[in-house]
Coordinates of all heavy atoms in Angstrom, one line a residue:
K1 N 129.7 69.4 -11.5 CA 128.7 68.7 -12.2 C 129.1 68.5 -13.7 O 128.8 67.5 -14.2 CB 127.3 69.4 -12.0 CG 126.2 68.7 -12.6 CD 125.9 67.4 -11.8 CE 124.7 66.8 -12.3 NZ 124.4 65.5 -11.6
Y2 N 129.5 69.7 -14.3 CA 129.8 69.5 -15.7 C 131.0 68.5 -15.9 O 131.0 67.7 -16.8 CB 130.2 70.9 -16.2 CG 130.8 70.9 -17.5 CD1 130.0 70.9 -18.7 CD2 132.1 70.9 -17.8 CE1 130.5 70.9 -20.0 CE2 132.8 70.9 -19.1 CZ 131.8 70.9 -20.2 OH 132.4 70.8 -21.4
L3 N 132.0 68.5 -15.0 CA 133.1 67.6 -15.2 C 132.6 66.2 -14.9 O 133.1 65.2 -15.6 CB 134.2 68.0 -14.2 CG 134.9 69.3 -14.5 CD1 135.8 69.6 -13.4 CD2 135.7 69.2 -15.8
Y4 N 131.7 66.0 -14.0 CA 131.1 64.6 -13.7 C 130.5 64.1 -15.0 O 130.6 63.0 -15.3 CB 130.2 64.7 -12.5 CG 129.7 63.4 -12.1 CD1 130.3 62.6 -11.2 CD2 128.5 62.9 -12.6 CE1 129.8 61.4 -10.7 CE2 128.0 61.6 -12.3 CZ 128.7 60.9 -11.2 OH 128.2 59.7 -10.9
I5 N 129.7 64.9 -15.5 CA 129.0 64.4 -16.9 C 130.0 64.2 -17.9 O 129.8 63.2 -18.7 CB 128.0 65.4 -17.3 CG1 126.9 65.6 -16.2 CG2 127.4 65.2 -18.7 CD1 125.9 66.8 -16.5
S6 N 131.1 65.0 -18.0 CA 132.1 64.8 -19.0 C 132.8 63.5 -19.0 O 133.3 62.9 -20.0 CB 133.1 66.0 -18.9 OG 133.9 65.8 -17.9
L7 N 132.9 62.9 -17.8 CA 133.5 61.6 -17.7 C 132.7 60.5 -18.5 O 133.2 59.6 -19.1 CB 133.6 61.2 -16.2 CG 134.5 62.0 -15.2 CD1 134.4 61.5 -13.8 CD2 135.9 62.0 -15.8
Y8 N 131.3 60.6 -18.3 CA 130.5 59.7 -19.0 C 130.6 59.9 -20.6 O 130.6 59.0 -21.4 CB 129.1 59.9 -18.6 CG 128.1 58.9 -19.3 CD1 128.4 57.6 -19.4 CD2 126.8 59.5 -19.7 CE1 127.5 56.8 -20.1 CE2 125.9 58.6 -20.4 CZ 126.3 57.2 -20.5 OH 125.4 56.4 -21.2
R9 N 130.8 61.2 -20.9 CA 130.8 61.6 -22.3 C 132.2 60.9 -22.9 O 132.2 60.5 -24.1 CB 130.9 63.1 -22.5 CG 129.6 63.8 -22.1 CD 128.3 63.2 -22.8 NE 127.2 64.0 -22.4 CZ 126.0 63.4 -22.4 NH1 125.8 62.1 -22.8 NH2 124.9 64.1 -22.0
L10 N 133.2 61.0 -22.1 CA 134.5 60.3 -22.6 C 134.3 58.8 -22.8 O 134.8 58.3 -23.8 CB 135.6 60.6 -21.6 CG 136.1 62.0 -21.5 CD1 137.1 62.1 -20.3 CD2 136.7 62.5 -22.8
H11 N 133.5 58.2 -21.9 CA 133.2 56.8 -22.2 C 132.4 56.6 -23.5 O 132.7 55.7 -24.2 CB 132.4 56.3 -21.0 CG 131.9 54.9 -21.1 ND1 132.8 53.7 -21.3 CD2 130.7 54.3 -21.1 CE1 132.1 52.6 -21.3 NE2 130.8 53.0 -21.2
Q12 N 131.4 57.5 -23.7 CA 130.6 57.3 -24.9 C 131.4 57.6 -26.1 O 131.2 56.9 -27.1 CB 129.4 58.4 -24.8 CG 128.4 58.1 -23.8 CD 127.2 59.1 -23.8 OE1 127.5 60.3 -23.6 NE2 126.0 58.7 -23.9
I13 N 132.4 58.5 -26.1 CA 133.2 58.8 -27.2 C 134.1 57.6 -27.5 O 134.3 57.2 -28.7 CB 134.1 60.0 -27.0 CG1 133.3 61.4 -26.9 CG2 135.3 60.2 -28.0 CD1 134.0 62.5 -26.4
A14 N 134.6 57.0 -26.5 CA 135.4 55.7 -26.7 C 134.6 54.6 -27.4 O 135.2 53.8 -28.1 CB 136.0 55.2 -25.4
L15 N 133.2 54.6 -27.2 CA 132.4 53.6 -27.8 C 131.8 54.0 -29.0 O 131.7 53.2 -30.0 CB 131.3 53.3 -26.8 CG 131.6 52.7 -25.4 CD1 130.4 52.4 -24.7 CD2 132.5 51.4 -25.6
H16 N 131.5 55.3 -29.2 CA 130.7 55.7 -30.4 C 131.4 56.6 -31.3 O 131.0 56.9 -32.5 CB 129.4 56.4 -30.0 CG 128.6 55.5 -29.1 ND1 128.0 54.2 -29.4 CD2 128.1 55.7 -27.8 CE1 127.4 53.7 -28.4 NE2 127.5 54.6 -27.5
G17 N 132.5 57.2 -30.8 CA 133.1 58.4 -31.6 C 132.5 59.7 -31.3 O 131.5 59.8 -30.7
Y18 N 133.1 60.7 -31.7 CA 132.7 62.1 -31.4 C 131.3 62.4 -32.0 O 130.4 63.0 -31.4 CB 133.7 63.1 -31.9 CG 134.9 63.1 -31.1 CD1 136.1 62.4 -31.4 CD2 135.0 63.8 -29.9 CE1 137.2 62.4 -30.6 CE2 136.1 63.9 -29.1 CZ 137.2 63.1 -29.4 OH 138.3 63.2 -28.6
I19 N 131.1 62.1 -33.3 CA 129.9 62.6 -34.0 C 128.7 61.8 -33.4 O 127.6 62.5 -33.0 CB 130.0 62.2 -35.5 CG1 131.1 63.1 -36.2 CG2 128.6 62.5 -36.3 CD1 131.3 62.8 -37.6
N20 N 128.8 60.5 -33.3 CA 127.6 59.8 -32.7 C 127.3 60.2 -31.3 O 126.2 60.2 -30.8 CB 127.8 58.3 -32.8 CG 127.7 57.8 -34.2 OD1 127.1 58.5 -35.1 ND2 128.4 56.6 -34.5
T21 N 128.4 60.5 -30.5 CA 128.1 60.9 -29.1 C 127.4 62.3 -29.1 O 126.5 62.5 -28.3 CB 129.5 61.0 -28.3 OG1 130.1 59.8 -28.3 CG2 129.3 61.6 -26.9
A22 N 127.8 63.2 -30.0 CA 127.1 64.4 -30.1 C 125.7 64.3 -30.5 O 124.7 64.9 -29.9 CB 127.8 65.4 -31.2
L23 N 125.4 63.3 -31.4 CA 124.0 63.0 -31.7 C 123.3 62.5 -30.5 O 122.1 62.7 -30.3 CB 123.9 62.1 -32.9 CG 124.4 62.6 -34.2 CD1 124.5 61.5 -35.3 CD2 123.6 63.7 -34.8
T24 N 123.9 61.6 -29.9 CA 123.3 61.0 -28.6 C 122.9 62.1 -27.6 O 121.9 62.0 -27.0 CB 124.2 60.0 -28.0 OG1 124.5 58.9 -28.9 CG2 123.6 59.4 -26.7
M25 N 123.8 63.1 -27.4 CA 123.6 64.2 -26.5 C 122.3 65.0 -27.0 O 121.5 65.4 -26.1 CB 124.8 65.1 -26.4 CG 126.0 64.4 -25.8 SD 127.4 65.5 -26.0 CE 127.0 67.0 -25.1
I26 N 122.2 65.1 -28.2 CA 121.1 65.9 -28.8 C 119.7 65.1 -28.5 O 118.8 65.7 -28.1 CB 121.2 66.2 -30.3 CG1 122.3 67.2 -30.6 CG2 119.9 66.8 -30.8 CD1 122.7 67.3 -32.0
V27 N 119.7 63.8 -28.8 CA 118.6 63.0 -28.5 C 118.2 62.9 -27.0 O 117.1 63.0 -26.7 CB 118.9 61.6 -29.0 CG1 117.8 60.5 -28.6 CG2 119.0 61.5 -30.5
G28 N 119.3 62.9 -26.2 CA 119.1 63.0 -24.8 C 118.3 64.2 -24.3 O 117.5 64.1 -23.4
R29 N 118.7 65.3 -24.9 CA 118.1 66.6 -24.5 C 116.6 66.5 -24.9 O 115.7 67.0 -24.1 CB 118.8 67.7 -25.2 CG 120.1 68.1 -24.6 CD 120.7 69.4 -25.2 NE 122.0 69.7 -24.5 CZ 122.0 70.5 -23.5 NH1 120.9 71.0 -23.0 NH2 123.2 70.8 -23.0
I30 N 116.3 66.0 -26.1 CA 114.9 65.9 -26.5 C 114.2 64.9 -25.6 O 113.0 65.2 -25.1 CB 114.9 65.3 -28.0 CG1 115.5 66.4 -28.9 CG2 113.4 65.0 -28.3 CD1 115.7 65.9 -30.3
N31 N 114.8 63.8 -25.3 CA 114.1 62.9 -24.3 C 113.8 63.4 -23.0 O 112.8 63.1 -22.3 CB 115.0 61.6 -24.2 CG 114.9 60.6 -25.5 OD1 113.9 60.7 -26.2 ND2 115.8 59.8 -25.7

């Protein structure tokens, strides 16, 4: 499950970079 989610994170990193993806993850947890 963790690896499955990480595939999407790699796509997000390609689009937003590491910092913005980390921020997106934090916002996602709040949401």
Side-chain angles (χ1 to χ4, degrees):
K1 184 68 176 178
Y2 173 80
L3 293 172
Y4 184 88
I5 295 172
S6 71
L7 296 178
Y8 181 46
R9 298 304 180 204
L10 290 174
H11 176 60
Q12 290 179 305
I13 290 169
L15 298 179
H16 307 299
Y18 287 96
I19 295 176
N20 288 337
T21 297
L23 294 174
T24 300
M25 292 171 61
I26 293 172
V27 171
R29 287 183 176 274
I30 295 172
N31 281 337

